[in-house]
Amino acid sequence: MADAEKRGEMPYRTLGRTGEKVSAIGIGGWHLGLPKVDEKLALRIVRDAIDRGINFMDNCWDYNEGLSELRMGKALRDGYRQKAFLMTKIDGRTKKEATRQLEHSLERLQTDCIDLVQHHEILRYEDPDRIFGEDGAHAALLEAQKAGKLRYIGFTGHKDPRIHLYMLEVARENGFTFDAVQLPLNLMDAHFRSFSKLVLPELVKDGIGVLAMKTLANGSILQSKTVTPIECLHYALHLPTSVVITGVDSLAILDQAFEAARTFKPFSDAELQALLARTREAALRGKYEPFKTSSIYDGTASNPKWLGEEPPELQALMMQD
């Protein structure tokens, strides 16, 4: 956290090479639309977070059928939008579908410009090729960026670090460097199909903002009985992350996030090795990272229409077969 500063209760870090100052902890958007979180509570979580120093707000076009974005948009009224660094994600792989989803997000979020828009769920090796192909989603985001509808571009994924590396490779082949990448960074990941070992060094080398997610794996890691929530958050903060995104479904969990930020100190090597030793055996088969080992978290697998139609030339080839 050499580049950190503090505002209120929250340290700030630099988002890669963008120069943007973002809170070390960010609010996850998915939880804001859960059935157990009513609108009043969702709005209070966002506004209390901002009032206390969190400015990074995560969301996605598909979260809870748009309800998460709608609630975020309402929460950011009355001057709160100007205090927030707003991120959302789109699932479309085609230019047409990505454009449609982005317009929905702008409307729901009640803003003319989103700070960071990310290609969501890069889970398959074909995703980068579709996104950067002719009439792919990347062209839609570049057009929107030129039109002032978004500022920065990134991507997310939770399945396999090698697919992240391929996305970075395809981007380089197309002369593009992402501004941010969102990836699972947690104490189990360190031992199994590890994003922290394979992808994180590449992001740091290229000056790409690092957005940590699945820090507690939606609570799965806690079921291993090896670590506490604060230890999980401290581990992600210890890594060269710009933001550690955490799901908040109550004011108590919001307090936990601030407590983690307030009490964080970089680990000594001995402290880090002790944490990793504690989690090693539980982590080896990916049991507590179901987003890697199952399709439970793969929204685009359950809803392939979100991706958009396959390119016409490929459909024509299939017809010839």
Side-chain angles (χ1 to χ4, degrees), residues 25-201:
I25 300 283
I27 298 297
W30 183 66
H31 288 73
L32 299 175
L34 294 179
K36 64 180 177 180
V37 179
D38 63 26
E39 183 174 293
K40 182 179 179 181
L41 176 58
L43 270 57
R44 184 172 177 189
I45 287 170
V46 172
R47 292 191 171 191
D48 279 10
I50 292 173
D51 288 341
R52 294 170 66 181
I54 289 178
N55 76 338
F56 192 95
M57 298 291 149
D58 160 276
N59 224 301
C60 182
W61 170 84
D62 70 50
Y63 283 169
N64 301 294
E65 300 181 341
L67 183 60
S68 289
E69 285 189 331
L70 286 168
R71 288 181 172 178
M72 182 68 75
K74 290 179 180 179
L76 293 180
R77 292 174 181 169
D78 306 321
Y80 279 87
R81 174 68 186 94
Q82 288 68 40
K83 302 174 184 179
F85 186 95
L86 181 60
M87 177 267 278
T88 200
K89 319 175 193 85
I90 51 98
D91 299 304
R93 303 299 188 243
T94 66
K95 183 178 180 182
K96 178 181 178 181
E97 187 61 21
T99 299
R100 186 183 75 85
Q101 292 172 12
L102 179 60
E103 291 300 327
H104 281 180
S105 291
L106 287 162
E107 183 179 350
R108 293 169 183 162
L109 293 167
Q110 301 184 34
T111 187
D112 295 326
C113 179
I114 300 167
D115 295 299
L116 170 62
V117 175
Q118 303 197 96
H119 298 289
H120 192 215
E121 286 197 2
I122 306 306
L123 309 179
R124 317 154 189 84
Y125 276 104
E126 64 265 29
D127 287 337
D129 296 303
R130 290 190 70 184
I131 286 168
F132 282 94
E134 187 177 356
D135 290 324
H138 186 62
L141 295 195
L142 288 178
E143 279 191 11
Q145 186 179 48
K146 188 174 181 181
K149 295 180 179 182
L150 63 91
R151 299 171 65 207
Y152 303 112
I153 298 172
F155 76 90
T156 84
H158 56 247
K159 190 63 65 182
D160 191 309
R162 288 159 292 195
I163 297 173
H164 266 54
L165 293 177
Y166 184 58
M167 183 70 160
L168 294 170
E169 178 187 331
V170 173
R172 280 194 297 270
E173 290 172 353
N174 284 272
F176 185 76
T177 302
F178 287 101
D179 298 303
V181 171
Q182 189 166 336
L183 63 168
L185 294 172
N186 61 64
L187 279 159
M188 300 295 175
D189 169 78
H191 307 291
F192 177 79
R193 210 187 288 171
S194 179
F195 285 84
S196 62
K197 290 179 180 177
L198 294 177
V199 181
L200 190 56

Side-chain angles (χ1 to χ4, degrees), residues 270-302:
E271 289 170 333
L272 178 59
Q273 293 309 314
L275 268 179
L276 292 174
R278 230 194 293 162
T279 55
R280 183 172 290 112
E281 185 175 350
L284 288 179
R285 294 187 180 275
K287 175 181 178 181
Y288 298 104
E289 292 186 283
F291 45 87
K292 291 181 181 176
T293 57
S294 76
S295 60
I296 293 171
Y297 287 81
D298 302 351
T300 53
S302 304

